Amino acid sequence: GDSVTQMEGPVTLSEEAFLTINCTYTATGYPSLFWYVQYPGEGLQLLLKATKADDKGSNKGFEATYRKETTSFHLEKGSVQVSDSAVYFCALSDQGFQKLVFGTGTRLLVSP
Amino acid sequence: DVKVTQSSRYLVKRTGEKVFLECVQDMDHENMFWYRQDPGLGLRLIYFSYDVKMKEKGDIPEGYSVSREKKERFSLILESASTNQTSMYLCASSFQSTGGYHFFGPGTRLTVT
């Protein structure tokens, strides 16, 4: 079945550092890809998405490009802030009922 | 402001009890979902519903059932709670047209003792 693999955490960075969180997927067909973020004590919220190959999703300075040839959707940000500390989930959705398959999540800790 | 609300943020139940988790959305979404979140495992789908009175099993339905009598409300039922059902439960909803763009509730942390 479909699956998502993302890098283990926690990822610990200093403020203004460059961030990469790796995500790869296995899927039949042509899934849509997502990054969701969970801030402490809250539910998940959509950060960005891409629906087809070579699409780039972006939001709040974060970016990810749908790479079909490498089955990847890595999350990047050029300069992280303390307020970016959260857990980040990579996910894909099927083309049927659009249920999500999630990776295990990567905790990001940003220090001043 | 669009919302998905869950009936409790924290719940403590005893083994063998019947437990009801309620979820309500105000966005007229067709799809509703129940996920379970555990450390190191991410989120796993328990059940989902794409219409009133319709339900489909997800990846881990054993020990759970669901009910959707109205479009805005989706209930998760633990028929006889067990300690291995201690977890964070997240409800989500979405339009059928938006391909995986879920709105999530804040979660219910359930402890079964």
Side-chain angles (χ1 to χ4, degrees), chain A residues 97-98, chain B residues 3-4 20-34 47-56 64-77 79 91-96 102-103:
Chain A
F97 295 114
Q98 301 103 41
Chain B
K3 271 190 179 169
V4 178
F20 294 86
L21 302 181
E22 304 284 337
C23 175
V24 177
Q25 51 96 3
D26 65 358
M27 294 165 280
D28 204 33
H29 286 163
E30 298 94 354
N31 297 337
M32 295 189 76
F33 307 83
W34 276 106
Y47 267 96
F48 65 100
S49 169
Y50 54 90
D51 201 353
V52 176
K53 296 192 186 296
M54 305 303 290
K55 60 185 178 184
E56 294 285 339
Y64 303 95
S65 62
V66 290
S67 172
R68 193 168 180 199
E69 296 296 319
K70 294 185 177 181
K71 190 175 185 180
E72 68 271 19
R73 188 180 298 270
F74 192 35
S75 302
L76 180 69
I77 303 153
E79 297 291 343
C91 176
S93 66
S94 72
F95 287 117
Q96 287 182 2
H102 284 25
F103 288 82

Side-chain angles (χ1 to χ4, degrees), chain A residues 4 89 102-105, chain B residues 36-45 60 87:
Chain A
V4 174
F89 292 92
F102 286 89
T104 54
Chain B
R36 171 177 170 159
Q37 181 179 9
D38 298 289
L41 297 176
L43 279 76
R44 294 176 291 167
L45 182 64
I60 51 165
S87 186

